[in-house]
Amino acid sequence: MTKSSIMFIVVLGFLLILTFFPIAILLLLSLNETSTLPLRNFPTLKWYIELLRFPAAINAVKYSLMVASVTTGAAVIFGICGGYALARTNFAGKKIFTGLLLMPMVTPYIIMGFSLMSFLLKMGVNPSLIVIIIGHILITIPYTTLVLTSRFIALDISLEEAAMDLGAGKFTTFRKVTLPLIMPGVAVAAILAFIISWEDVALAVFLAGTEQTAPVYIYSLLMKLPKFVPILTAMSSIILSFAIGLAFLMRMIERISA
Amino acid sequence: MSIKKSFRNFFTAQTNSRLKDLLLVLPTYLWIIIVFFIPVFSVLILSFAELSPVTRTVVNFPVLSNYAKLFIRTDYARLLLRTFFIAVTVTASSVLFAYVVAYFIAFRVLKNKYTVLFLFQAPYFATYMLILLAWRLMLGSTGVINSLLLYFGLISEPIKLLGYNLFSVWLVLTATWFPWLILPIFVSLEKIDRVLLEASDDLGASPITTFLKVTFPLSLPGVFVAVLFVFIPTMGEFIAPAVVGGRTGILFGNLIYDFFLKGFRWDVAAAFTVYLLIITFIAVFLLYRRIGFRKLMESL
């Protein structure tokens, strides 16, 4: 092993610790009497029992899953249509469309959050879960469309031509040939959209009403009632269990689609 | 039947299909226009209005007073400068970290490259807010890191730098951003033809020269994508500063968010949002020209 390899491994190890250490600490503290070290009365389930008295925390996770699921469904459909159009057709104004599509991707969330919510409030629409979904669809469309465009480009067009030569119509070809073939790409796009929605806090704090998604709930409790932080550490392990499940699912799908 | 007529038939058929294909992207068009453009445009108009603090209605239009606020109150201007400074430093440090990891995975890891890549991204399923919460507990004068160091007697009083301050904002943003930037850099490093590196080596270049003259210039597109990905959100960041910034760590975004919460200051918030938008435009303009649509697509 060369000197530079050892150096690389040290740096990599440090960066991995930087990434995983915070989460480990969170789990550790959720089983501790206080939300700092050294350990006191460890391990205790006190905060998990306390958590049961905060139904809003559990609901927040539920709302997060709901918002992310609906967002994913919509963004994937937008992405399939847009991706197909970008890769396979020469529709009018393609250049303008790609420019427009990238806008939400390169705009800070705070600009979109403030613009959308101040506009909707003026129109008489109040913040709610539906407004969060509307915002999340906006920020996920560019990602699903880009991922699916590259999948459509990579797909061998002769398969579709063969289906059409054999007498299948445009729609049948799409449904029976194209769609099954890009299913792995659809899955990657779906997971990307899900994560973006699931982890967003900056846009959602503008758009959330009384029903808050999990990140917004954590943020507002942390800012307004810091003494409830131990509850949040207990809540975080619920989120983490979902996260681990999601991570495994994503890895599996990536493997299959690679 | 003239050639002219059949040509016209052909032409209209093509235009028709081009318009029909437009239907596929129509939903996306509408969504982006209604949810993005119209609201941003309304903010642009709002930024020239003066709202009454009591009735929240427009009392004066058009005025430039909202824009002037940035220069009248020096602390606002200073906040914008500080935000720019933080965005530049966070960009530099997180791109550097991401580059090291991407380089290692691309050139030194021989098996399971994608598993190592994935390892760094896994924490993101845990949500950004949760990681921020963790950092909030780790930093601070009574936080995990300081109390651990005190406990082992390594320090006699809490390290101030690890409290809630601007340094912590930089640290946390760097730590949370760099994993996202590994992929675009990795993609452009993976694409480099290894023969070029061997050629450089054969011609007597040292590893460092090879890196500086061959590898690094060829990986620049990925670096630009990474810069775009981190710089823009950091300019508008307001969650991390609120969580770990304490009194000295707040950024320009916090100002906008505060003005938004106080309904009657929407006019100022709008003007400040426009300032942010202009900075974003300049950054995108400078970077996107060097990236292009295709590169961006490949980096996801």
Side-chain angles (χ1 to χ4, degrees), chain A residues 111 114-115 118, chain B residues 40 42-51 63-71 76 80 252 255-256 259 265-279:
Chain A
I111 293 180
F114 171 64
S115 308
S118 61
Chain B
V40 169
S42 82
V43 160
L44 195 65
I45 293 171
L46 185 65
S47 70
F48 292 105
E50 194 191 324
L51 298 183
V63 289
L64 283 172
S65 61
N66 301 322
Y67 287 96
K69 285 246 162 45
L70 184 73
F71 301 102
Y76 292 165
L80 184 59
F252 199 61
L255 209 58
I256 296 177
F259 284 146
R265 302 301 294 277
W266 279 9
D267 46 359
V268 187
F272 284 13
T273 303
V274 174
Y275 277 127
L276 205 54
L277 202 60
I278 293 168
I279 295 171

Side-chain angles (χ1 to χ4, degrees), chain A residues 22 26 29 35 221-227 229, chain B residues 129-144 162-164 172 240-246:
Chain A
L26 217 48
L29 291 180
S35 55
L221 204 64
L222 189 60
M223 290 293 115
K224 283 173 203 146
L225 303 162
K227 67 173 172 151
V229 160
Chain B
M129 193 57 228
L130 216 61
I131 298 173
L132 284 186
L133 173 69
W135 280 104
R136 163 99 165 190
L137 299 179
M138 291 205 297
L139 298 167
S141 51
T142 58
V144 169
L162 295 175
Y164 300 130
V172 169
V243 175
V244 295

Side-chain angles (χ1 to χ4, degrees), chain A residues 47 50-51 54 57 217 221 228-236:
Chain A
W47 301 115
E50 280 287 293
L51 183 66
F54 283 75
Y217 181 80
L221 204 64
F228 289 117
V229 160
I231 304 286
L232 293 180
T233 61
M235 179 186 172
S236 67

Side-chain angles (χ1 to χ4, degrees), chain A residues 2 4-5 8-9 11-12 14-16 18-23 25-26 29 35-38 78 81-82 84-86 89-93 96-98 100-108 110-112 114-119 121-122 133-135 137-138 141-143 146-147 149-150 153 170 191-192 195 198-199 201-202 205-206 215 218-219 222-223 226 229 232-233 236 239-240 243 246-247 250-251 254-255, chain B residues 17-19 21-22 24-25 27-29 31-40 42-43 46 97-98 100-101 103-105 108 112 114-116 118-131 133-138 142-145 147-148 151 171 175 178-180 228-229 232-233 235-239 242-243 252-254 256-257 260 266 269-270 273 276-277 280-281 284 288 293-294 296-297 300:
Chain A
T2 61
S4 76
S5 290
F8 261 118
I9 287 174
V11 173
L12 221 61
F14 168 73
L15 291 177
L16 266 182
L18 204 62
T19 343
F20 279 97
F21 191 63
I23 295 171
I25 285 291
L26 217 48
L29 291 180
S35 55
T36 185
L37 291 180
F78 280 99
C81 295
Y84 185 82
L86 278 176
T89 68
N90 191 20
F91 61 89
I96 301 172
F97 179 74
T98 49
L100 206 73
L101 183 68
L102 297 179
M103 291 269 184
M105 203 173 168
V106 296
T107 306
I110 190 170
I111 293 180
M112 291 188 276
F114 171 64
S115 308
L116 183 57
M117 204 59 242
S118 61
F119 176 70
L121 281 170
K122 261 181 291 173
I133 291 172
I134 291 173
I137 291 174
L138 175 73
I141 286 177
Y143 291 91
L146 288 189
V147 166
T149 305
S150 68
I153 290 175
K170 227 176 172 178
I191 288 180
L192 197 59
I195 296 175
W198 166 253
E199 87 142 23
V201 52
V205 287
F206 280 98
I218 296 175
Y219 178 75
L222 189 60
M223 290 293 115
V229 160
L232 293 180
T233 61
S236 67
I239 296 177
L240 278 174
L246 269 176
M250 168 129 185
R251 187 75 195 107
E254 270 184 344
R255 278 232 174 125
Chain B
S17 97
R18 286 190 73 187
L19 286 177
D21 291 333
L22 196 61
L24 282 171
V25 291
T28 305
Y29 256 127
W31 204 277
I32 293 176
I33 288 169
I34 295 170
V35 184
F36 181 82
F37 270 94
I38 295 176
V40 169
S42 82
V43 160
L46 185 65
F97 283 175
V100 173
V101 178
Y103 188 89
F104 181 83
I105 299 174
R108 301 296 168 92
N112 298 327
Y114 286 88
T115 309
V116 181
F118 182 72
L119 209 58
F120 277 96
Q121 289 164 347
Y124 283 86
F125 293 89
T127 81
Y128 177 59
M129 193 57 228
L130 216 61
I131 298 173
L133 173 69
W135 280 104
R136 163 99 165 190
L137 299 179
M138 291 205 297
T142 58
V144 169
I145 297 175
S147 50
L148 215 59
Y151 182 77
L171 176 73
F178 88 88
W180 283 112
L228 189 72
F229 275 1
I232 290 170
M235 276 309 294
E237 181 66 53
F238 64 106
I239 301 289
V243 175
F252 199 61
N254 298 78
I256 296 177
Y257 187 58
F260 167 75
W266 279 9
T273 303
L276 205 54
L277 202 60
T280 310
F281 265 162
V284 172
Y288 187 70
F293 184 67
R294 188 160 272 271
L296 203 61
M297 198 165 68
L300 293 175

Side-chain angles (χ1 to χ4, degrees), chain B residues 18 30 63-64 82 90 111 140 169 172 188 235 246 264 274:
Chain B
R18 286 190 73 187
L30 287 179
V63 289
L64 283 172
R82 178 204 278 176
V90 167
K111 274 191 290 179
V169 174
V172 169
S188 62
M235 276 309 294
F264 64 93
V274 174

